[in-house]
Amino acid sequence: MPPTSPTPVNRDEAPVRERGDACPGALRLHAADDGRLARLRLPAGLLTYRQAEALATAAERLGDGRLDITSRGNVQLRGLGESCGGELAELLYEAGLLPSERHERVRNVVASPLSGLDGIPRADVRLWARELDALLCASEAATALSGRFLFALDDGRGDVAALGADVTLLAQPDGSAVLHTRANGAGLRVSAGDAPRAALLAAETFLTVAAASGSGAWRVRELPAGHGLDAAVTTALATAGIATEPVAEYGAEYATEPGAAYGAEPEAEYRAEYGADVARPEAGPPVPGPVHSPDGTVALSVYAPLGRLSVAQWRLLLSAGAYGTNDRTLRVTPWRGVIVPGLDTATAHDLLDRLRTAGLITDPRSPWHGVGACTGRPGCAKALTDVRADAAEAVTATRPGDLPATNPGDLPVYWSGCARRCGHPQGSWVDVVATGEDGYDISVRGHLLRATTGPELAEAVATARKPTTARTTPVTR
């Protein structure tokens, strides 16, 4: 067939919600084709070693022996038995992972994972995260939030602010914070001390506005036009005694079209496409490898191939404790990675080598870096094919002209088993969507580039990831 015109894909079209949110949690398990699924919320991705070990035990004893990291820095357990709910809950309660049973699905809080580790001198958003989580768990109104409503706490570098959260706190150089909803680019400056309470009030106000709209909206972007959320939030903060100052510009249009996903595009190309007045985020996700801290310690940034770790790989992350690390915590990131902080140089070098040997992504040039996929078959009944197997085959292709190592400017790629695109990233990415057993549509920024099958697939995806060629590849079928 002859080439066709690029077809925009609207992923954010907001329907009127006529049913309750069935998003899974740690206590509300989802029935998948490969068994029950539990999704455990980890505010700011923070885990103590004891909590991380409890998750390993649960995956090993009750599930399929693997842990999935989600695009919100949460952890999923799959392959759970029909009657394991009570035992799972007991494990999680004992580890301190369920501070409030009624709030366990609404504790969706992402935070800059390198906050306090790499010398960015703004705010330690872990403190905001702990306070916001406590406020959430004490709020009766917050129990009505959807399991998909998202808070983002950005320390000023512009990483998690790019994730399209419903409520974002963005740390400022003067020590204040700017509160944004996804309603538009405007914001309200608040003091750092008031920031977590302001974020909760914004979420509670959203619930009031959503109820009045009759839309059944789960997220801010689903509110109908003219909803008045911004004005309502301003009034709610004033009533609560929180001083605010309007901020006319977002600072960086993180929630709309971030240019830094797994490597920045050339500045001229970015501004040519999005406009000279659009400021880019300062940072994307953490780069795989060592991160040197001002206190002389080293943190390790690693990624899970296709977002999935075996129990053995997960426990290897915890083995740093045997070296006497001064920070017995992990930070799970919303890019399906993990940060291991507080290591001395020798320990970091040794552990990084062992993690690489165990199959984790420890180098930004790994061909696995920036490659994600949904569950696909056989775990999901809606999937049209085994997308994980196809993604892995594309990454490891060995024929002439196979995939090179990932380059800094390459776009991330996400493989989806159906048009729902569960777990897809934000911003710009190569969208690979199954159309059948062997067929995929490949698109970038909503424009169809190619539909392909068979041995051409790896080459087509690799070409689409290149920022200079993705926009010029002809549409073929």
Side-chain angles (χ1 to χ4, degrees):
M1 294 180 63
T4 61
S5 299
T7 304
V9 178
N10 184 357
R11 302 182 186 92
D12 288 334
E13 188 174 338
V16 173
R17 302 290 188 182
E18 297 179 346
R19 61 178 177 82
D21 178 20
C23 200
L27 303 178
R28 178 192 287 182
L29 306 187
H30 170 70
D33 273 18
D34 57 351
R36 299 282 173 173
L37 177 153
R39 182 176 299 157
L40 183 66
R41 270 66 175 185
L42 306 175
L46 299 175
L47 276 174
T48 66
Y49 277 21
R50 175 171 171 264
Q51 291 170 334
E53 176 56 34
L55 292 180
T57 299
E60 186 174 53
R61 184 190 304 171
L62 306 174
D64 64 2
R66 293 182 178 275
L67 301 97
D68 288 359
I69 301 177
T70 76
S71 59
R72 294 180 166 194
N74 296 320
V75 169
Q76 287 186 167
L77 305 176
R78 301 190 67 96
L80 299 168
E82 291 282 342
S83 59
C84 77
E87 187 176 356
L88 174 62
E90 184 178 355
L91 274 170
L92 299 178
Y93 276 122
E94 289 179 352
L97 287 167
L98 290 176
S100 172
E101 181 174 330
R102 299 183 64 218
H103 295 82
E104 63 98 2
R105 293 190 314 126
V106 305
R107 301 167 67 224
N108 288 307
V109 182
V110 295
S112 300
L114 293 181
S115 182
L117 294 179
D118 61 353
I120 298 294
R122 291 196 180 175
D124 187 344
V125 293
R126 291 174 301 170
L127 302 178
W128 284 354
R130 293 188 181 100
E131 183 177 348
L132 176 57
D133 188 33
L135 291 169
L136 268 173
C137 291
S139 168
E140 179 64 27
T143 61
L145 288 171
S146 161
R148 308 184 189 197
F149 193 92
L150 181 64
F151 297 88
L153 312 180
D154 194 297
D155 68 358
R157 74 185 67 220
D159 53 358
V160 298
L163 299 181
D166 299 281
V167 174
T168 297
L169 289 176
L170 186 61
Q172 301 298 299
D174 63 2
S176 66
V178 174
L179 171 73
H180 296 282
T181 68
R182 191 166 169 154
N184 57 42
L188 293 172
R189 189 184 306 275
V190 299
S191 71
D194 285 331
R197 189 160 60 105
L200 175 65
L201 283 169
E204 292 175 338
T205 304
F206 158 78
L207 290 171
T208 301
V209 172
S213 74
S215 64
W218 294 344
R219 305 201 60 191
V220 170
R221 69 178 181 227
E222 296 176 359
L223 290 172
H227 48 69
L229 178 60
D230 289 334
V233 169
T234 301
T235 299
L237 295 182
T239 302
I242 296 177
T244 64
E245 176 189 345
V247 177
E249 298 180 359
Y250 203 169
E253 281 65 15
Y254 304 122
T256 56
E257 190 65 57
Y262 284 85
E265 297 177 66
E267 184 75 18
E269 290 187 10
Y270 184 89
R271 293 193 179 277
E273 177 154 356
Y274 300 115
D277 59 339
V278 177
R280 291 176 52 177
E282 296 175 11
V287 175
V291 179
H292 295 275
S293 300
D295 64 1
T297 63
V298 179
L300 296 183
S301 169
V302 298
Y303 285 79
L306 300 182
R308 181 169 291 181
L309 293 170
S310 68
V311 167
Q313 290 172 321
W314 182 262
R315 285 196 170 120
L316 186 56
L317 294 168
L318 303 179
S319 67
Y323 294 89
T325 175
N326 63 3
D327 189 343
R328 295 177 65 84
T329 62
L330 299 179
R331 303 184 186 185
V332 182
T333 82
W335 298 279
R336 296 183 170 89
V338 180
I339 306 294
V340 185
L343 308 175
D344 62 57
T345 303
T347 297
H349 178 79
D350 177 68
L351 181 58
L352 191 66
D353 185 61
R354 291 193 293 133
L355 292 170
R356 178 170 48 249
T357 301
L360 277 72
I361 301 167
T362 62
D363 188 308
R365 287 187 55 82
S366 166
W368 289 96
H369 186 222
V371 181
C374 72
T375 297
R377 288 185 181 174
C380 178
K382 289 183 168 50
L384 300 176
T385 190
D386 187 345
V387 291
R388 287 179 174 270
D390 291 341
E393 183 178 352
V395 169
T396 58
T398 57
R399 68 185 187 283
D402 66 349
L403 288 176
T406 304
N407 292 312
D410 289 355
L411 293 172
V413 57
Y414 195 79
W415 297 67
S416 299
C418 72
R420 295 189 306 161
R421 298 174 172 84
C422 294
H424 70 73
Q426 296 293 318
S428 298
W429 80 94
V430 177
D431 189 26
V432 184
V433 181
T435 58
E437 286 287 350
D438 298 310
Y440 288 88
D441 280 351
I442 303 171
S443 60
V444 180
R445 298 192 185 96
H447 297 285
L448 184 66
L449 297 176
R450 191 169 186 176
T452 188
T453 61
E456 296 180 344
L457 188 57
E459 180 182 352
V461 172
T463 300
R465 295 189 70 183
K466 304 303 176 186
T468 56
T469 59
R471 305 188 193 105
T472 59
T473 304
V475 178
T476 59
R477 291 188 182 276

